[in-house]
């Protein structure tokens, strides 16, 4: 068993390794750089060398223990070593649990951009252990809540009710609804992905808030956390759908209410509309130069809006940047 991990969870990894040894397995350990710095070709190359030295074969398995950056890079190594070995994800951040570790996308960053190199290689299992979240900084929890709220709007409104029921608890890992929020968000992602691994159809709904979210991340030089960018992107998408006559006022307004409750931003003010437009046009998910947004036709009714009217786009931008 090859344990590939973020050093921040070293003690947890040590315990895991010990259990494998007691169960009679040979354990090979590898510590990556912490967080996003791990997602490089250099990390992958060093790991390939190590797997070679350790004679890791197709009958062995990789276990990734860390946040989304760790599971992305370890998954990519598992996808490419010997043309694919089995791997299990043990996500240690909320974002990892509800998003990155589930769904089979793996990848690294290159000079050309983030996540442009990768492979679809679904894990054979995902182990979500809530005990590993005790040291997770509150800001990382809140960051991951953007994807949980997204799952609420696109598929499972019970998530939104759980947040409203105890907003204080939804802002921290130890909150009383934490387990249910995580389970529900994972179920939404797993259901969609099992219908459409390669993003040919329904999986696109998971990009709710991400068209503008990715543009915000890019124009900010990735200084805005992913969850904050997606939160602002959802506010934009809701207003766009409202202006296009597809979403009712109450559901559109509910976006800012719920995001506020979990402590996420409800806007982004530091970029002009032309800057965001340019960033969106170069997104890898834009098709044939036409702007494409996931919008809601109602609560839990995701749909696609292609080439929206310029006036609606500008109105949505004004709302998001107000
Ligand atoms: N493959 C996918 O489908 C997918 C989906 C969403 C995001 N991602 C990727 O996931 C990454 C973001 O995920 P993330 O937010 O988990 O980032 P991350 O892995 O960088 O972790 C965030 C921070 O939390 C620390 N950390 C991790 N676990 C901890 C713990 N238990 N206690 C304390 N600190 C801990 C990390 O060291 C890091 O500093 C990005 O690289 C993104 O591209 C991939």
């Amino acid at each position: 068993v090859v344990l590939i991990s973020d050093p921040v969870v070293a003690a947890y990894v040590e315990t895991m390794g010990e259990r494998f040894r007691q169960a009679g397995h040979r354990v090979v350990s590898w510590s990556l750089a912490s967080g996003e710095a791990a997602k490089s070709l250099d990390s992958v190359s060093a790991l390939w060398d190590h797997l070679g030295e350790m004679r890791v074969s197709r009958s062995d398995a990789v276990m990734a223990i860390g946040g989304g950056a760790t599971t992305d890079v370890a998954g990519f190594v598992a996808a490419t070593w010997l043309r694919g070995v089995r791997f299990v994800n043990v996500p240690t951040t909320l974002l990892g649990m509800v998003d990155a570790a589930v769904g089979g996308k793996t990848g690294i960053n290159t000079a050309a951009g983030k996540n442009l190199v990768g492979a679809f290689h679904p894990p054979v299992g995902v182990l979500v252990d809530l005990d590993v979240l005790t040291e997770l900084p509150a800001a990382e929890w809140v960051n991951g809540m953007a994807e949980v709220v997204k799952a609420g709007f696109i598929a499972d409104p019970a998530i939104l009710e759980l947040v409203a029921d105890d907003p204080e608890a939804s802002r921290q890992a130890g909150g009383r609804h934490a387990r249910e929020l995580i389970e529900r968000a994972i179920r939404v992602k797993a259901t969609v992905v099992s219908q459409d691994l390669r993003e040919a159809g329904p999986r696109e709904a998971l990009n709710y808030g991400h068209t503008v979210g990715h543009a915000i991340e890019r124009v900010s030089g990735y200084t805005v956390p992913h969850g904050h960018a997606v939160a602002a992107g959802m506010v934009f998408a809701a207003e766009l759908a409202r202006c296009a006559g597809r979403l009712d006022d109450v559901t559109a307004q509910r976006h800012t209410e719920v995001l506020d409750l979990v402590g996420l931003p409800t806007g982004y003010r530091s970029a002009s509309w032309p800057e965001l437009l340019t960033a969106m046009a170069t997104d890898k998910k834009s098709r044939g130069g036409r702007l494409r947004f996931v919008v809601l036709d109602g609560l839990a009714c995701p749909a696609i809006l292609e080439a929206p009217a310029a006036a609606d786009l500008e109105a949505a931008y004004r709302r998001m940047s107000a």
Side-chain angles (χ1 to χ4, degrees), residues 6-9 33-37 39 65-72 91-97 99-107 109 114-115 131-137 140 143-144 147 189 203 210 217 226:
D6 185 318
V8 82
V9 288
S34 230
E36 198 65 21
K39 284 180 66 172
I65 310 175
T70 305
T71 55
D72 268 9
T92 64
T93 61
L94 177 60
L95 184 65
M97 290 174 179
D99 194 2
V102 185
K105 285 188 187 175
T106 71
N109 305 328
K114 258 176 73 84
N115 298 325
D131 289 346
V132 81
L133 294 174
T134 47
E135 306 281 312
L136 188 75
E140 292 296 344
N143 189 41
E147 300 293 345
K189 179 149 187 191
R203 185 167 183 159
H210 283 60
E217 286 184 281
H226 181 69

Side-chain angles (χ1 to χ4, degrees), residues 94 133 136-145 169-173 178 182:
L94 177 60
L133 294 174
L136 188 75
E140 292 296 344
W141 170 269
V142 169
N143 189 41
M145 276 303 290
S170 74
R171 286 190 219 127
Q172 46 191 306
I182 292 171

Side-chain angles (χ1 to χ4, degrees), residues 98-168:
V98 300
D99 194 2
V102 185
K105 285 188 187 175
T106 71
I108 56 169
N109 305 328
T110 58
K114 258 176 73 84
N115 298 325
L116 294 180
V117 173
F120 286 98
H121 188 57
V124 294
V126 180
L127 174 66
V128 172
D129 179 355
L130 301 186
D131 289 346
V132 81
L133 294 174
T134 47
E135 306 281 312
L136 188 75
E140 292 296 344
W141 170 269
V142 169
N143 189 41
M145 276 303 290
E147 300 293 345
V148 177
V149 169
K150 178 197 78 181
F153 277 110
I154 63 170
D156 184 2
I159 288 175
L160 310 177
E161 282 151 27
L162 285 169
V163 169
D165 180 60
D166 193 345
E168 189 60 39

Side-chain angles (χ1 to χ4, degrees), residues 270-294:
S270 306
S272 68
W273 178 234
E275 270 181 291
L276 289 176
L277 258 182
T278 308
M280 280 189 271
T282 51
D283 192 289
K284 66 178 182 290
K285 283 167 184 150
S286 77
R287 294 189 189 171
R290 283 163 79 83
L291 278 181
R292 220 178 134 80
F293 293 87
V294 179

